[in-house]
Amino acid sequence: MNVIANKWIGQRTIRPDGADKVTGRACYAADNTMPGMIWGKVLRSPHAHALIRSIDTSKAEKLPGVKAVVTAKDLVEFPVDKPVPLGIQDMRWMSRNIMAREKALFHGHPIAAVAAINEEVAAEACKLIEVDYEVLPHAIEIEDAIKPHAPILHDFVRFEGKPSNIAGTMVNKVGDVEAGFAEADIVIERTFTTRPVHQGYIEPQACTVSCTADGKVTIWSSSQGQFMVRAMTSFLTGITQSNIRAIPAEIGGGFGAKTIIYLEPLATVLAKKSGRPVKMVMTREEVMRATGPTSGSRSTVKIGAKKDGTLVAAQGTFYLQAGALPGSPLRGPVGCSFSPYYIPNILSTGYDVVSNRSKVAAYRAPGAPLGAFAAECVIDEICEKLGLDPLEFRLKNSSKEGQKAVYGATFGKITFEETVEAALKHPHYKAPLDKNPRPGVKRGRGVASGFWFNAGGESSAQVNITEDGNVAVTTGHPDVGGSRASIANVTAELLGIDHSRISVLIGDTASIGFSNLTGGSRVTFASAIVVTQSTEKVIGQLKERAARIWKIDPDAVTWENGEARPAGPNAGKFPPLSLEDLAAKANEMGGPIGAGTQLNTTGADPGFATHIVDVEVDVDLAIVRVLRYSAVQDVGRALHPSYVEGQIQGGVVQGIGWALSEEYLFDKQGKLENAGFLDYRMPVCSDVPMIEPVMLEIPNPKHPQGVRGVGEAPIVPVLAAITNAVHDALGKRFCDLPLSPPRVSAALDAAAE
Amino acid sequence: MAKVHVTTTINGEPEEFLCEPHQSMLDALRGPLGLTGSKEGCGTGDCGACSITLDGRLVCSCLMLAVEAEGKKIGTIEGLAQGDHLHPLQQKFLEWGALQCGICTPGVLVAAKALLEKNPDPTETEVRFWLAGNLCRCTGYDKIVRAVLETAADMRRAA
Ligand code: FES
Ligand code: FES
């Protein structure tokens, strides 16, 4: 596959949705209004853990301007003893997450919702709802939730036969770790912690829902999947899917968090009860208290190697916070942590721990970064003790094609080695680093690698030729960061026409076939497959039409540079027919031209990343700053390089926040203390340097355009790379994130004593 | 509560509107004025998605009362392009791919324009500190900073 020869694939074209977005015209969820629209608000629990004895909404209902009040009674009830799966979610938990039933399980848990003529009246009405709570003791952190006599969140959760907050386990295993460790010359075991971090999308959740007298529901909302919105709303409200149409608004960031919903079912029942369209928009405070984040974790990782650096055994035990209801991303650390390496003996175990904080949601490579943090820091220590270069060490131990991964798959053509080789050769790795540039300042360099599964799954596309010979492409995936631009490039390439002649739209649930979530690094991979197939079908139709006009065999027609040409014995006999010509004759020749594809896509082989970072530590202020960052990744083929680079750069900076500054702080009552952007400190522009993405384009042989998923792998190595760099600077190994000034200064003080 | 009548100038056009005395400028823009290009990411002055200019000065419209617009000149993202002619910053953001989801983009563009009016030749550090009030969770800021620096260079050459 020759990237250079492509006219459109690999070009930095202007995205189809670009002009709308730089002029403020793009319509995000909160930008929508409807005639007769009223506003919904949620009453939230003021307690971290409480029994709900009763809810009296009568005073709120009587307040002038209030049009509807709903509680859990207005939603479908799912008994706790029978799983109700939808994708990776369980509707038993989703229903209790969007509205508390028996108990309030975290501070901020929805208790009731009100719709009124404006936001002020709705908020006022919330205050009039009387809830009789019996406050219970709570547990926030993992240690508190798993210790003996911890407050139990759910009576139905049992672990080893006893009531427990451990709601699930996952074990991946190969070989025999005990035998493996017995062979090792060096064994290092450490325990690490990471804090829950929020996805931090700038657009709070929002929706508008209309429910008409004939029972038809229309939802405008921002999500990572309109089909998920439809299905979950259907489950939670009991309305059939055929009566719900979910229209995707532009999405202002999700990073996994918008793969589930909070507001849409509430707005739907409010709209149904009131007979008016209902709009709901979360405040930032509600976003922080009651959506996401990803799990905090406590991980113990033990790795054994031979003197020459050959890895022989690895054991990981990962406790993840699920939040108030079961379902933390155990697969991430359990399956990913050791997968870059060939290790004959692995035991990887995950525990899902519920506690009184908001239920976790997916966040970029769910769970993988916290596992890689533990594993890659231990590997760094092994390299240090054995006196080996950490990248050479990774090269020596890398996983290879044909080997079986701990999570069960057999690797196809994987490219971890290539990322390490590229990092070794990169000027950054060879650049001298002055470790003591000024008094009070220390510098260090660190490396780490990361793995993500990637995903295929269901996608649909429709490619239609317009009457004037241009192209309209519709897919079923919300575009979180440039996927429409990539699709335009692919279609232009295949049809051989200028990319500006192609419009790319995202269909709603009634206008395009089922398409799974935008997540798992799957959208460009999967949609490029269905768009390629649809476009190829269209080209087949175009050739057939030309053949009919010329009265020759369709096989004797080629499609080149946007036109049908007679080929073989007929070459040159007829003047070529362009897309416009064929569109103009479409109806005489059988009707409109267009084709769709609906497919469960496969072939999404995993992604690997290897990162190099230089940090500077101000010893007096205990501030860690990132000076230089290089992120190597195999991207398969960059359909639109700017948005591939953007995924890598954005993922790295989210990782920097996770490593250095982001964390949730709770008070003694279990109330989140930093529910806003001022105190929940995400990286700002002046915190970070340029991030250099080093894209390796090794085409994925299982994809028609060579695509490999990109979005998630770049966050996986960051936590460890930075922590390893801080070790290089200070000579001290940190095991607890974030490396914020209080934590770094405590460590420096302890070392000084 | 009685509504207040406000006479102001928005993106160069005279404008009047009614607002509650406690209503924020952001809510007035997004509500009665129908200018939803300014976004609410936080409502507390911490994200910059609501950035506008007030008599040329960069402010968070979520922290400003709508009544304060009386007699002032307001500039919003909707006023950046002249008709269908994009501002050089808007054009450069498209060329660089300096946006992913785009929710921060209106605020970033309004802030960057205010910077270049004050300082046509900013260093990377100056750009980074000026834009430190505009959170972007998607891009890692790299392409945003490059697009601003390159626009500044283009505009200096054109001047
Ligand atoms: S909405 Fe005004 S600063 Fe965030
Ligand atoms: S582009 Fe999404 S927040 Fe900036």
Side-chain angles (χ1 to χ4, degrees):
Chain A
M1 238 173 281
N2 187 346
V3 177
I4 310 297
N6 287 304
K7 213 165 160 200
W8 296 110
I9 288 179
Q11 296 300 311
R12 296 174 191 261
T13 51
I14 304 277
R15 59 198 277 170
D17 53 320
D20 274 349
K21 288 194 170 150
V22 296
T23 54
R25 290 187 202 175
C27 193
Y28 295 84
D31 301 337
N32 192 42
T33 51
M34 282 195 79
M37 185 184 89
I38 57 174
W39 289 81
K41 277 263 165 232
V42 174
L43 173 71
R44 295 177 183 276
S45 168
H47 305 294
H49 196 192
L51 270 179
I52 301 171
R53 289 209 200 96
S54 67
I55 304 176
D56 182 353
T57 59
S58 55
K59 284 192 190 135
E61 277 157 32
K62 284 193 203 106
L63 185 72
V66 170
K67 302 293 174 193
V69 181
V70 299
T71 64
K73 284 210 288 285
D74 298 282
L75 297 159
V76 176
E77 176 163 14
F78 296 97
V80 292
D81 49 4
K82 198 166 139 255
V84 188
L86 173 64
I88 60 165
Q89 304 298 338
D90 189 319
M91 292 305 107
R92 287 177 296 172
W93 316 142
M94 271 302 135
S95 70
R96 285 166 176 79
N97 195 40
I98 65 161
M99 195 63 97
R101 246 170 215 287
E102 308 78 8
K103 270 177 166 188
L105 294 165
F106 60 96
H107 184 284
H109 199 168
I111 303 294
V114 175
I117 48 162
N118 61 38
E119 282 185 281
E120 287 77 29
V121 176
E124 179 82 36
C126 283
K127 288 192 207 135
L128 296 176
I129 296 172
E130 288 164 1
V131 187
D132 183 10
Y133 292 106
E134 179 184 327
V135 179
L136 303 169
H138 65 270
I140 301 280
E141 303 301 343
I142 292 172
E143 310 71 79
D144 300 329
I146 61 175
K147 70 182 180 202
H149 312 299
I152 297 295
L153 271 74
H154 307 288
D155 302 333
F156 53 86
V157 170
R158 309 243 138 197
F159 181 69
E160 294 174 343
K162 289 196 278 293
S164 170
N165 289 322
I166 296 180
T169 55
M170 177 183 239
V171 183
N172 281 182
K173 189 171 178 284
V174 287
D176 174 350
V177 272
E178 287 317 317
F181 286 123
E183 277 174 46
D185 297 317
I186 175 172
V187 175
I188 305 251
E189 178 173 356
R190 299 256 174 262
T191 294
F192 299 84
T193 62
T194 65
R195 311 292 295 160
V197 292
H198 198 270
Q199 295 82 353
Y201 40 85
I202 309 299
E203 180 204 36
Q205 273 83 354
C207 67
T208 311
V209 178
S210 158
C211 180
T212 46
D214 59 358
K216 296 268 190 284
V217 175
T218 309
I219 303 173
W220 290 262
S221 72
S222 155
S223 78
Q224 288 174 247
Q226 61 275 41
F227 291 90
M228 172 280 296
V229 170
R230 180 176 74 176
M232 258 188 217
T233 305
S234 168
F235 267 105
L236 301 180
T237 62
I239 299 168
T240 58
Q241 289 196 17
S242 59
N243 274 328
I244 302 175
R245 178 176 172 210
I247 301 177
E250 291 298 334
I251 170 172
F255 315 108
K258 291 178 186 168
T259 56
I260 57 173
I261 51 175
Y262 300 88
L263 298 176
E264 286 87 336
L266 306 182
T268 300
V269 289
L270 286 170
K272 207 171 161 188
K273 262 195 166 178
S274 66
R276 303 272 292 267
V278 173
K279 178 167 176 172
M280 297 181 85
V281 181
M282 279 198 201
T283 62
R284 176 57 49 184
E285 190 180 329
E286 289 179 291
V287 170
M288 296 302 291
R289 290 198 193 289
T291 72
T294 191
S295 301
S297 66
R298 198 184 81 191
S299 312
T300 301
V301 163
K302 177 176 173 186
I303 296 180
K306 296 270 201 200
K307 266 201 211 73
D308 68 353
T310 308
L311 286 168
V312 290
Q315 184 165 356
T317 309
F318 306 98
Y319 288 86
L320 268 68
Q321 276 162 340
L325 293 148
S328 48
L330 297 181
R331 196 174 81 104
V334 171
C336 295
S337 301
F338 306 118
S339 286
Y341 309 107
Y342 174 68
I343 309 174
N345 307 290
I346 299 176
L347 177 59
S348 195
T349 312
Y351 296 96
D352 189 27
V353 181
V354 292
S355 67
N356 296 108
R357 51 199 308 159
S358 58
K359 176 176 172 24
V360 297
Y363 180 30
R364 210 164 200 148
L370 56 92
F373 168 57
E376 296 285 306
C377 284
V378 170
I379 283 177
D380 201 65
E381 192 171 344
I382 290 178
C383 293
E384 184 200 7
K385 297 252 157 76
L386 294 177
L388 298 172
D389 176 278
L391 289 181
E392 296 287 0
F393 177 92
R394 283 170 172 79
L395 209 51
K396 179 182 173 74
N397 287 291
S398 71
S399 284
K400 294 191 179 49
E401 187 169 352
Q403 284 169 355
K404 201 161 158 32
V406 70
Y407 61 92
T410 302
F411 286 131
K413 182 174 162 41
I414 54 167
T415 46
F416 176 49
E417 275 181 1
E418 284 83 342
T419 70
V420 179
E421 277 163 3
L424 267 167
K425 276 194 227 122
H426 194 280
H428 184 171
Y429 198 56
K430 302 201 183 88
L433 180 70
D434 181 356
K435 296 183 82 172
N436 297 291
R438 314 183 283 284
V441 172
K442 304 231 180 262
R443 288 181 177 169
R445 177 168 295 159
V447 299
S449 295
F451 169 93
W452 179 247
F453 308 105
N454 287 337
E458 306 94 324
S459 279
S460 302
Q462 175 73 27
V463 175
N464 289 335
I465 304 302
T466 59
E467 299 96 289
D468 61 357
N470 291 299
V471 186
V473 182
T474 308
T475 71
H477 304 292
D479 177 352
V480 293
S483 58
R484 274 168 287 197
S486 302
I487 291 307
N489 284 0
V490 170
T491 315
E493 186 75 46
L494 295 171
L495 280 170
I497 60 172
D498 193 279
H499 96 288
S500 64
R501 291 174 58 189
I502 294 156
S503 74
V504 187
L505 301 172
I506 298 153
D508 63 59
T509 52
S511 61
I512 187 72
F514 179 81
S515 299
N516 211 326
L517 294 160
T518 295
S521 298
R522 64 173 294 273
V523 160
T524 303
F525 172 87
S527 56
I529 294 177
V530 287
V531 168
T532 297
Q533 292 192 6
S534 304
T535 310
E536 281 168 353
K537 287 182 202 166
V538 164
I539 291 171
Q541 291 175 12
L542 291 163
K543 291 200 295 194
E544 198 187 299
R545 303 288 170 99
R548 253 201 260 173
I549 292 169
W550 292 328
K551 303 195 173 54
I552 62 175
D553 191 71
D555 291 342
V557 179
T558 58
W559 185 264
E560 266 171 66
N561 276 329
E563 49 189 31
R565 293 180 186 167
N570 303 303
K573 265 199 205 158
F574 311 102
L577 285 165
S578 67
L579 194 52
E580 294 92 319
D581 299 334
L582 290 164
K585 294 189 167 52
N587 285 347
E588 301 156 39
M589 293 293 152
I593 303 167
T597 302
Q598 294 175 272
L599 203 63
N600 188 7
T601 63
T602 56
D605 277 355
F608 292 91
T610 297
H611 292 185
I612 313 167
V613 58
D614 295 350
V615 300
E616 177 171 286
V617 187
D618 182 317
V619 178
D620 297 324
L621 299 176
I623 292 175
V624 179
R625 286 193 193 91
V626 176
L627 294 179
R628 182 174 181 183
Y629 207 107
S630 307
V632 186
Q633 193 172 329
D634 170 24
V635 304
R637 198 185 201 189
L639 300 179
H640 192 304
S642 303
Y643 297 109
V644 175
E645 291 164 355
Q647 287 294 315
I648 296 174
Q649 292 164 330
V652 167
V653 170
Q654 286 186 319
I656 291 174
W658 197 335
L660 296 182
S661 58
E662 294 177 33
E663 66 179 314
Y664 276 42
L665 304 167
F666 286 90
D667 70 9
K668 290 221 162 52
Q669 278 68 49
K671 177 180 173 193
L672 182 63
E673 288 186 305
N674 56 337
F677 281 145
L678 187 61
D679 302 314
Y680 181 83
R681 186 64 165 76
M682 306 198 311
V684 303
C685 196
S686 53
D687 289 334
V688 290
M690 295 295 184
I691 307 296
E692 186 185 339
V694 184
M695 297 191 292
L696 307 181
E697 293 199 64
I698 306 163
N700 174 2
K702 296 182 189 161
H703 190 281
Q705 308 300 347
V707 172
R708 197 179 281 276
V710 168
E712 282 164 302
I715 199 173
V716 181
V718 186
L719 322 188
I722 289 178
T723 307
N724 291 339
V726 171
H727 166 259
D728 189 44
L730 299 178
K732 179 171 169 43
R733 292 216 173 261
F734 286 82
C735 293
D736 305 295
L737 295 183
L739 301 179
S740 56
R743 188 163 281 134
V744 173
S745 100
L748 289 171
D749 291 350
E753 269 158 29
Chain B
M1 214 179 291
K3 289 199 174 177
V4 183
H5 179 263
V6 178
T7 307
T8 184
T9 304
I10 299 183
N11 299 325
E13 303 282 344
E15 188 71 73
E16 309 173 53
F17 63 92
L18 292 176
C19 67
E20 305 284 346
H22 61 269
Q23 197 169 21
S24 73
M25 189 66 213
L26 177 61
D27 283 346
L29 286 169
R30 292 180 53 81
L33 290 162
L35 295 173
T36 54
S38 304
K39 306 298 178 192
E40 176 164 336
C42 66
T44 52
D46 301 314
C47 78
C50 64
S51 298
I52 60 166
T53 54
L54 174 67
D55 282 349
R57 203 164 62 90
L58 183 66
V59 297
C60 292
S61 61
C62 70
L63 294 184
M64 173 187 160
L65 289 174
V67 292
E68 293 178 90
E70 178 68 38
K72 299 275 174 41
K73 290 193 178 62
I74 303 286
T76 73
I77 182 65
E78 287 87 352
L80 232 63
Q82 300 301 317
D84 62 1
H85 199 75
L86 294 179
H87 185 278
L89 277 165
Q90 293 172 309
Q91 189 57 40
K92 196 65 79 185
F93 268 55
L94 292 180
E95 284 162 16
W96 268 102
L99 54 144
Q100 284 172 34
C101 79
I103 194 89
C104 68
T105 309
V108 171
L109 285 167
V110 168
K113 179 170 174 263
L115 168 66
L116 298 189
E117 277 163 12
K118 246 174 106 94
N119 177 1
D121 191 8
T123 62
E124 181 190 331
T125 306
E126 285 169 336
V127 172
R128 286 190 178 277
F129 276 85
W130 183 272
L131 292 180
N134 291 86
L135 287 176
C136 173
R137 192 60 156 173
C138 296
T139 64
Y141 305 104
D142 184 297
K143 291 182 196 303
I144 292 177
V145 174
R146 288 179 200 274
V148 173
L149 288 169
E150 205 175 282
T151 310
D154 287 356
M155 287 173 74
R156 287 196 306 278
R157 269 194 296 273

